[in-house]
Amino acid sequence: MGSPSGPPFDPDDPDRERRERDTEPIPRIDPDDGPGFGAGTGYGPGPSLSDDAAFGDGPAYAGEGRSGRGWIRDPEAGYQSPQISEEELAGLRADASGMAPRRVLPMEDEPSALAARYLFPTERFRGEWKRHWVHLSTPIIVGIAATFVLGYLSGFLAGRDVGALTTVAVLLWFAVMGWVAWRVADWWYDRFILTNKRVMVVNGIITRRVAMMPLVRVTDMKYEQTPTGRALNYGTFVLESAGQEQALREIKNLPNPNELYLRVVEEMYEPQAVEARIGKEQDEAKADDGA
């Protein structure tokens, strides 16, 4: 009868308990005893984990059931972005003060008789503007100063026998006021016109001048505002066309320059959006008239 394999039993051996624990067989868990790590693994019943477990129809994590939004992976359609509701988009359309963006200048329906004569039939009118009233600052100041000077001279010459000088002063005052009236009339007939094809400047009473630039030829556009221009809301537009000098390069004293800048840029880059907005405004106007 042979001797047993392994070292002899020594009750004082410090490594005896570790060897016995390492060599102890692992008991197999009965699937009927309770929940384990997954069905088919031999360690108890339970749902098995698949590759798409985190991308199923239900919430993959505990927190997703409360948020109402989860990432869905469709094997056939590929990646699908999450759906954003109209209420969520409404917050993006408002600025920090809670006011929705709006246009300062209304879209005109029809051109004036002054502008209509320069538009061809297939051209779509987008608006016309007179220059800012600051354009008349010089003639207005001259007219006011001439009136004060005439009043002073009339009082000064009243007690003297110089009737001829008074007549000359009055005639000069009429001449100055005639020049002021001419400048006001010239300002009234001076128009900046925008269409879907070009920008135009029309001015002059007796000698008419019409300058234009196609929108497709505009390579650069900017507007400048002085501190006074920012306070009174006017500016100067500078248009560049392929680096060449042209008649319509600098347009001074235009009102609402930021709004006008956006109007021109939108016509250059998003003409379909302009057409859609104008059509919507016309439909709303017809609906209001019908109501």
Side-chain angles (χ1 to χ4, degrees):
M1 185 174 177
S3 61
S5 61
F9 177 77
D10 185 0
D12 297 330
D13 187 0
D15 297 332
R16 180 176 59 83
E17 293 183 359
R18 180 180 58 80
R19 286 197 303 270
E20 292 179 353
R21 185 175 63 252
D22 294 342
T23 58
E24 181 180 359
I26 300 176
R28 184 176 181 84
I29 300 176
D30 191 350
D32 297 333
D33 290 342
F37 295 98
T41 61
Y43 296 99
S48 60
L49 299 177
S50 62
D51 294 337
D52 297 337
F55 302 93
D57 294 335
Y61 303 98
E64 289 186 359
R66 296 188 297 269
S67 64
R69 179 184 298 176
W71 292 94
I72 306 301
R73 188 179 70 178
D74 189 348
E76 298 180 357
Y79 169 77
Q80 296 180 355
S81 60
Q83 300 297 324
I84 302 178
S85 64
E86 187 66 23
E87 290 76 9
E88 292 173 312
L89 287 175
L92 300 177
R93 298 192 185 101
D95 56 17
S97 62
M99 298 296 293
R102 61 181 180 87
R103 288 188 169 272
V104 176
L105 302 175
M107 299 288 286
E108 295 83 357
D109 295 331
E110 297 293 337
S112 65
L114 176 65
R117 68 182 66 179
Y118 303 108
L119 306 181
F120 53 88
T122 58
E123 197 170 16
R124 296 182 181 274
F125 174 75
R126 294 295 186 244
E128 60 179 308
W129 299 267
K130 295 189 292 291
R131 296 181 191 261
H132 195 271
W133 61 264
V134 77
H135 191 68
L136 297 174
S137 58
T138 299
I140 289 176
I141 292 174
V142 171
I144 294 174
T147 301
F148 277 103
V149 170
L150 177 63
Y152 174 78
L153 288 177
S154 298
F156 179 76
L157 300 175
R160 295 172 175 80
D161 189 13
V162 286
L165 292 180
T166 304
T167 302
V168 172
V170 172
L171 292 177
L172 288 176
W173 179 83
F174 273 111
V176 171
M177 296 309 294
W179 174 80
V180 172
W182 180 271
R183 291 292 303 270
V184 172
D186 185 68
W187 167 80
W188 178 262
Y189 288 103
D190 189 352
R191 304 293 175 89
F192 177 81
I193 304 171
L194 173 65
T195 71
N196 66 327
K197 301 291 185 181
R198 53 182 173 159
V199 292
M200 291 186 293
V201 172
V202 179
N203 55 21
I205 300 176
I206 298 176
T207 303
R208 180 71 66 180
R209 294 177 296 274
V210 180
M212 64 141 255
M213 180 185 295
L215 291 177
V216 295
R217 295 280 308 274
V218 177
T219 58
D220 187 23
M221 181 181 68
K222 65 178 180 179
Y223 74 89
E224 302 172 349
Q225 280 186 293
T226 63
T228 305
R230 295 187 63 184
L232 300 178
N233 196 20
Y234 72 91
T236 299
F237 271 71
V238 179
L239 303 177
E240 298 288 347
S241 176
Q244 300 176 357
E245 292 291 335
Q246 61 278 334
L248 191 61
R249 184 180 185 276
E250 188 176 84
I251 312 167
K252 296 182 178 180
N253 302 329
L254 286 177
N256 299 306
N258 186 71
E259 171 67 19
L260 189 55
Y261 174 83
L262 294 177
R263 181 79 64 88
V264 176
V265 171
E266 186 180 32
E267 195 64 50
M268 292 171 58
Y269 295 104
E270 294 293 341
Q272 296 85 0
V274 179
E275 294 288 347
R277 186 176 64 257
I278 294 177
K280 183 178 180 181
E281 292 176 356
Q282 292 176 351
D283 294 340
E284 292 177 352
K286 291 180 181 179
D288 294 338
D289 294 340

